[in-house]
Amino acid sequence: MEQLSAWSDLAVITAMVLFIVALICHAAEWGFARTVSSRSEGRSRVRRTSTAERRQRSLATVGGSESEVAGTESGPDAEADPAADPVGDEDRGVADGAAEQLSARERRIEMAGRLGLNISLIATACVVAGVVLRGIAAQRFPWGNMYEFTISAVAFIAIATVVMGYKFSMRWLGLPVALILSLTLGLAYTALYVDVAPLVPALTSPWFVIHIAGATIAGAAFNLGALASILYLIRSRMERKEKVSGYFTRMPSAEKLDAIAYRLHAFSFPLWTFAVAAGAVWAQSAWGRFWGWDPKETWALVTWVIYACYLHARVTAGWKGKRAAIIAIIGVASFWFNFYGVNILFDGLHSYSGL
């Protein structure tokens, strides 16, 4: 069993390293996209400038009016007579060269993005293997302490991200998710790690599996919904200023990002409701009461209320866009505080978490 535990640790560390590599690939993807966006804008400016300069030179040469020269340039013989446009071939050559450079950079963007997604897939397999091996080593479901909760949550988020990246072309989640998951795994292994141990008596219940499974899946969707909300805020600000640039030109519109965030939260809220209810039933079997206002229970309810307000406001008050995104970000902050902060700052019946 110690060997299996060591393999689990190795798989988790490997996943962390691979997520860092995926982060670098996605960062390169975003960097190449920013360069392409800058080159495209520069190419447009060069084209406008060269056209204006050509018109001025033509005016100075023939001494005609601007309207006459414009008519000559757009006439039926303008393209047929190279002498009528002495710098046209040069401009076209520059434009063709710029197009080739942009095409090469487009290929680099695609290559970096696909490489990052493929590495994330391997990292996801590693962290799932780490969770499974941990459970086999402990001879139970690997959700008995904060370290195991964390790597399991990472596994669910990673699976969801990879599926959405391949199936729904949502590769734009790759950079923020790789950053969060690599940091979370590093925190889990350095600050939360505990050796494999049997479950405390309070956890030996079928409701333990049901409650934790629902909470971790809901948490994965909450986190992805919050990321979509953050990206929505950035993209909508760019759209208002009419300056959408860089990798954001490859993302869905702000309206679409807002819709994606809503769907993720609409999926996760019933699961979180079920997890809270299952936790109450579990508390009845473990401690003889459904609800005792333990800090963990209280903050789980606070999180539920925040997300209930989010969905209620969208459906009844039409709170789309910025206000809804802010509530979603507050909700995920509450979720993570419930996940970590309550166990660190408060004493309660959930002190078996390993911290």
Side-chain angles (χ1 to χ4, degrees), residues 13-355:
I13 294 173
T14 302
M16 179 186 66
V17 173
L18 289 174
F19 277 125
I20 293 174
V21 176
L23 171 64
I24 294 171
C25 292
H26 285 300
E29 179 188 17
W30 282 52
F32 289 144
R34 182 176 179 83
T35 304
V36 167
S37 178
S38 300
R39 288 290 183 89
S40 298
E41 292 175 0
R43 182 182 172 189
S44 298
R45 286 196 297 269
V46 168
R47 184 183 296 113
R48 291 194 298 268
T49 302
S50 62
T51 301
E53 291 176 349
R54 184 166 64 251
R55 180 171 297 173
Q56 291 174 359
R57 284 196 294 267
S58 299
L59 284 170
T61 300
V62 302
S65 65
E66 185 174 354
S67 59
E68 291 172 347
V69 175
T72 303
E73 287 181 350
S74 60
D77 298 330
E79 295 183 0
D81 186 5
D85 188 8
V87 293
D89 291 339
E90 180 182 351
D91 287 344
R92 282 192 290 271
V94 171
D96 291 342
E100 290 178 2
Q101 290 182 356
L102 288 175
S103 178
R105 290 186 178 274
E106 290 284 352
R107 290 194 294 270
R108 291 180 186 177
I109 294 170
E110 187 66 19
M111 181 179 67
R114 286 188 175 275
L115 183 60
L117 187 59
N118 292 336
I119 293 174
S120 293
L121 175 62
I122 300 172
T124 301
C126 288
V127 73
V128 169
V131 172
V132 172
L133 289 171
R134 178 86 177 189
I136 296 173
Q139 297 183 339
R140 56 173 172 77
F141 281 91
W143 298 328
N145 50 66
M146 285 301 299
Y147 170 74
E148 294 173 358
F149 296 161
T150 301
I151 62 174
S152 297
V154 167
F156 281 115
I157 294 173
I159 291 171
T161 304
V162 168
V163 170
M164 293 167 74
Y166 280 109
K167 187 173 179 61
F168 302 107
S169 300
M170 295 173 64
R171 203 172 64 201
W172 41 269
L173 283 171
L175 178 65
V177 169
L179 174 62
I180 291 172
L181 297 190
S182 57
L183 290 175
T184 302
L185 287 178
L187 173 67
Y189 195 77
T190 56
L192 304 177
Y193 184 84
V194 293
D195 293 328
V196 174
L199 288 176
V200 297
L203 297 182
T204 55
S205 168
W207 289 103
F208 160 66
V209 178
I210 298 170
H211 170 69
I212 299 298
T216 49
I217 295 173
F222 282 149
N223 278 270
L224 293 177
L227 284 177
S229 297
I230 293 171
L231 293 174
Y232 159 78
L233 290 175
I234 300 173
R235 169 87 192 205
S236 63
R237 186 170 183 269
M238 289 181 170
E239 289 182 0
R240 285 196 303 272
K241 294 185 175 182
E242 298 182 352
K243 292 183 179 180
V244 180
S245 61
Y247 196 77
F248 282 90
T249 60
R250 299 168 183 272
M251 290 185 188
S253 65
E255 182 180 1
K256 182 67 173 178
L257 287 171
D258 186 45
I260 291 171
Y262 171 70
R263 290 170 187 169
L264 287 166
H265 286 102
F267 165 79
S268 56
F269 180 73
L271 285 175
W272 185 253
T273 303
F274 174 76
V276 172
V281 176
W282 179 21
Q284 168 64 23
S285 64
W287 301 311
R289 87 291 187 279
F290 287 100
W291 196 267
W293 298 104
D294 180 78
K296 195 81 167 180
E297 298 169 352
T298 303
W299 212 267
L301 179 61
V302 169
T303 304
W304 184 90
V305 170
I306 293 172
Y307 282 115
C309 291
Y310 170 87
L311 294 176
H312 180 74
R314 289 196 67 122
V315 172
T316 60
W319 273 28
K320 297 182 180 180
K322 182 178 179 179
R323 290 179 291 185
I326 292 173
I327 296 175
I329 295 169
I330 294 172
V332 81
S334 176
F335 171 83
W336 281 111
F337 183 80
N338 181 51
F339 202 64
Y340 289 118
V342 170
N343 291 331
I344 295 172
L345 300 176
F346 302 105
D347 293 326
L349 293 172
H350 292 78
S351 58
Y352 50 75
S353 58
L355 292 178

